[in-house]
Amino acid sequence: MTTALRRLRNYIDGEFRDAADGRTTEVVNPATGEPYATAPLSGSTDVDAAMAAAEAAFPAWRDLIPAERQKVLLKIADRFEERAEDLIAAESENCGKPIALVRSEEIPPMVDQIRFFAGAARMLEGRSAGEYMDGFTSIIRREPVGVCAQVAPWNYPMMMAVWKFAPALAAGNTVVIKPSDTTPASTVLIADIIGSVLDELGHPRGVFNVVCGDRETGRLMVEHKVPAMASITGSVRAGMQVAESASKDLKRVHLELGGKAPVVVFEDTDIAKAVEDIATAGYFNAGQDCTAATRVLVQESIHDEFVAALAKAASETKTGAVDDEDVLYGPLNNANQLKQVKGFIERLPAHAKIEAGGEQVGEKGYFFAPTVVSGLKQDDEIVQHEVFGPVITVQSFTDEKQAVEWANGVEYALASSVWTKDHARAMRMSKVLDFGCVWINTHIPLVAEMPHGGFKKSGYGKDLSAYGFEDYTRIKHVMTSLDG
């Protein structure tokens, strides 16, 4: 007997709709490997409708005073708390994530981030008005950019949707967002929440729209004539394609792309504490995090002791079912990602050594064992490229100079960490590490008040913080004559 699949739909101009041409794609639960829903495979007609709705809603939303937009966002945050269990269930099914971890590690920061941007809406900053030429007064207006086309990833579909819509709406923009084709469920639920708040408070329905689909749908959104800005969190390849597409009509682009975070461990580090924290930061969310602590550089004098401790920590780290409160992470998100992670392991050079893990786990779903690989060289594929899985690599360095050279010697530049008791060394390293974030004796904490974003092929633009908020605004100079 076949179980009927749940039907997810687009959310356009306050209504849930199927794709105009009726096309759908199956959505698979990565914990089981079985489909549980269908979602629209949206085309140009659907994208046109969503963009038209967002464009029509923009003037009224733009012209609201910030306090009114703040009320909407605060109400959305309240509703997220009220419907937390629904969101948790949707995200767990979306991604196979452990329920307890979604409840403790995702819902609270998401609510906090929405409330942060609600406050940011009322704290726009700019140079003070003044006379910079005799007889004239200049003022600065900071305005919303317009309609924002946003593409969210599959590793944190719910939280990344928040990182995108919250600053955009707070600044006075309207939104058309596309979730990944593998994880649309939680974004569709967010549309239901936001739509109900907009209705209750009497605001235009087209302020927030969700269009489900694949890469082609995303391309249609980015190339559409209506959006003034395109924002994507995804792979380097996807980001480069978005930047190229957006360049055709000079759209603004906001890119948060891949990472290959170096974790530089010096010989004076408390090994036991460092291993515990690094293992958690490397394996959390199955390593599917652009900032994951998966590239460890450890000073040669403590290398063997560190590797042994890390391998033991890996063997004690558990992956498994969503309702098991003892697991640290769930499955990889999809069959292609499982294949990619396996490929990195299969192509390891002869000088590499698998210290722990290295294989798929279980008879169903896309689970992969916590893995440690040592004996690696700087130019090895697994060192240079993002695995995006629960695989931690370890290299041995001799001195601070070599550590910096190897840490910076990749195309990514999102996040990094330094582990040492030497304050001066920590300060030197934080200066020369070419990454958007440098953690010292920790790895992966984020707060709404501080920016998240990288350099080089990790993209440009910031998420979170006042800097992320300002990315969704434009600056206008207004000059008036004092002669009337």
Side-chain angles (χ1 to χ4, degrees), residues 227-279:
M229 179 175 178
S231 170
I232 178 174
T233 299
S235 68
V236 172
R237 182 185 66 174
M240 294 173 102
Q241 290 171 344
V242 166
E244 182 179 1
S245 295
S247 70
K248 295 174 183 177
D249 57 1
L250 297 180
K251 284 184 178 70
R252 282 196 182 198
V253 179
H254 184 281
L255 304 174
E256 200 278 276
L257 309 177
K260 194 68 182 175
V263 180
V264 185
V265 182
F266 287 96
E267 60 188 358
D268 62 342
T269 300
D270 181 334
I271 293 177
K273 181 66 167 61
V275 163
E276 179 184 359
D277 291 354
I278 291 167

Side-chain angles (χ1 to χ4, degrees), residues 298-310 396:
V298 59
Q299 199 154 17
E300 60 184 359
S301 59
I302 62 168
H303 173 270
D304 292 350
E305 182 182 357
F306 183 92
V307 169
L310 185 60
S396 175

